Amino acid sequence: MNYDIVIVGAGLVGLATAYQTKLKNPDSKILILEKEDDVALHQSGHNSGVIHSGIYYKPGSLKATNCIEGYHSVINFAEKYGIKYDLCGKIIVASSQKELPLLDNIYKRGVENGLQDLKYLSREEFREIEPHCEGIKAIKVPQTGIIDYPGVAKKIKELFEELGGEVKFNNEVKNIINTDSEVIITTSQSEFKTKKLISCAGLYSDKITKMTNEKNDVIIIPFRGEYYKIKDEKKHLVKHLIYPVPDPSFPFLGVHFTRMIDGNIEAGPNAVLAFRKEGYKFFDFDFNETMQTLMWPGFRKIVAKYGKTGMGEVHRSLSKSAFTKALQKLMPEIQESDLVTGGSGVRAQACDRNGALIDDFDIVKNGNIIHVRNAPSPAATSCFAIGNKISELIEK
């Protein structure tokens, strides 16, 4: 049970990190530990399957640089291994005059991040692309696409194992001891020793980080995003991807329409506090995890800042009619009867003691241990780029 490198987590970031590291170090003995019985069972498999372009992110941020690099890498990977994807493009639609300056800011960020062929569209022009959409002006983003992310994850695992890497499922990490010579990892199944450790634990990144750094000043607050699907007979209402101009006072993109790689159309998500880190349903509850959130000093500041907006999100969670009304801002034709319950996902959102929701990727290195503390969207798009950066860090 001795290894050169152990990676905790078999989501897209953990898998891509293991794969990139193995490619660079073919003789190294590398292991992935995963508490579930398969890959990509949480954030990596519970998302809308979008290949993000990088248009929203602050130029120079880890999100921006890794998204642009990762965008090309994930497409090349899909091409090489026959994974389904479609660069269908999207439009970002301003619904009112007050949103036009925000739309301009998004356009400028896209240009600064190197996106080409961005185009402003008048109402008449964007309705040629999406005839059932309503608004006053839009940006066309040709780089955005959709992909089968679980398929990507399964292929990475297969390639990693072909290179001699190991993946052990049903091994939940219970304790980590870092000595001068090695890292000892105790799981629900066994004990493993390694020279170097990388944690890519997603929703439990704070828990794993704290095992080696008791002063960790960031916790994960889980936010559930709930989707509806559009009934088959109304799928013609959406041709590509349709996004609103995001509310700058709320750290989420707002409800939107997404054509999925399987042909379904998703509408959503909202963003509500989950009372369990893997709480995919409204009434999923874990006492200890909920208390961790409620007792965190930063959470109380979040409530003070976003409480009113958050209650609106909860209302949309409980009321299908309210959810439909939010969608009608972009598509007035959509009716409550056109929607059927879809899936949900839980976003691992890092929050510090001061109530700041960490917006960028957060990766910390301490000697022979690296923790990915925050990897929200566009982490799936960026997985190969993040994996490459971490593999470079671990070599140093």
Side-chain angles (χ1 to χ4, degrees), residues 312-363:
E313 296 290 308
V314 172
H315 179 50
R316 280 190 284 276
S317 176
L318 296 171
S319 168
K320 187 178 180 182
S321 63
F323 203 109
T324 305
K325 186 176 180 181
L327 294 170
Q328 287 172 337
K329 179 181 176 182
L330 287 175
M331 190 166 293
E333 290 181 54
I334 201 80
Q335 299 298 315
E336 189 174 337
S337 59
D338 299 331
L339 304 175
V340 294
T341 302
S344 65
V346 181
R347 169 174 169 161
Q349 177 60 63
C351 172
D352 69 16
R353 288 184 175 275
N354 296 317
L357 297 177
I358 310 302
D359 184 55
D360 207 357
F361 298 149
D362 185 301
I363 301 169

Side-chain angles (χ1 to χ4, degrees), residues 37-57:
D37 59 7
D38 202 353
V39 299
L41 290 188
H42 293 292
Q43 290 183 111
S44 297
H46 283 261
N47 59 55
S48 55
V50 173
I51 304 173
H52 289 283
S53 65
I55 192 170
Y56 296 110
Y57 313 123

Side-chain angles (χ1 to χ4, degrees), residues 377-390:
S377 178
T381 303
S382 310
C383 65
F384 288 108
I386 297 171
N388 186 51
K389 297 293 187 299
I390 294 173

Side-chain angles (χ1 to χ4, degrees), residues 5 7 14-15 17-23 28-32 154-167:
I5 302 170
I7 290 122
L15 288 163
T17 298
Y19 177 54
Q20 303 271 40
T21 306
K22 187 64 176 173
L23 284 173
S28 292
K29 193 175 180 183
I30 302 177
L31 168 69
I32 299 174
K154 291 180 187 299
K155 190 63 184 181
I156 298 174
K157 172 186 176 289
E158 178 186 320
L159 296 171
F160 174 66
E161 290 180 322
E162 286 177 0
L163 291 171
E166 295 180 52
V167 183

Side-chain angles (χ1 to χ4, degrees), residues 237-288:
L237 294 175
V238 179
K239 310 298 182 185
H240 306 91
L241 281 71
I242 307 172
Y243 280 65
V245 174
D247 181 352
S249 67
F250 196 57
F252 299 98
L253 291 178
V255 293
H256 47 270
F257 295 90
T258 306
R259 182 159 64 84
M260 307 289 286
I261 201 67
D262 63 3
N264 284 312
I265 306 292
E266 276 191 342
N270 57 0
V272 297
L273 178 68
F275 295 106
R276 181 184 171 196
K277 288 194 175 182
E278 294 167 2
Y280 296 106
K281 297 179 182 178
F282 190 88
F283 292 106
D284 285 350
F285 177 78
D286 181 280
F287 179 80
N288 291 332

Side-chain angles (χ1 to χ4, degrees), residues 189-247:
Q189 296 282 345
S190 190
E191 184 178 276
F192 304 88
K193 296 179 180 179
T194 182
K195 297 174 184 175
K196 300 175 182 179
L197 173 70
I198 305 168
S199 74
C200 306
L203 286 156
Y204 288 96
S205 62
D206 54 348
K207 182 178 180 180
I208 301 298
T209 302
K210 199 164 185 179
M211 289 180 186
T212 65
N213 180 8
E214 290 186 359
K215 295 181 180 179
N216 180 46
D217 60 348
V218 168
I219 72 161
I220 293 297
I221 295 179
F223 285 93
R224 183 176 57 258
E226 300 157 331
Y227 292 88
Y228 282 97
K229 289 183 180 179
I230 297 179
K231 295 195 316 191
D232 288 348
E233 55 267 33
K234 291 299 181 77
K235 286 181 182 179
H236 67 276
L237 294 175
V238 179
K239 310 298 182 185
H240 306 91
L241 281 71
I242 307 172
Y243 280 65
V245 174
D247 181 352

Side-chain angles (χ1 to χ4, degrees), residues 50-115:
V50 173
I51 304 173
H52 289 283
S53 65
I55 192 170
Y56 296 110
Y57 313 123
K58 182 179 178 181
S61 66
L62 289 175
K63 272 190 177 183
T65 56
N66 282 279
C67 186
I68 302 301
E69 180 185 334
Y71 168 89
H72 295 291
S73 297
V74 79
I75 290 172
N76 291 339
F77 188 85
E79 284 277 357
K80 185 174 181 178
Y81 296 107
I83 294 164
K84 289 177 66 176
Y85 80 100
D86 180 9
L87 289 180
C88 56
K90 78 172 178 182
I91 57 172
I92 304 170
V93 183
S95 299
S96 64
Q97 290 289 330
K98 70 178 183 180
E99 291 181 348
L100 293 180
L102 301 173
L103 191 71
D104 288 337
N105 288 338
I106 292 171
Y107 184 92
K108 290 173 185 175
R109 280 195 168 184
V111 171
E112 289 182 56
N113 285 332
L115 299 188

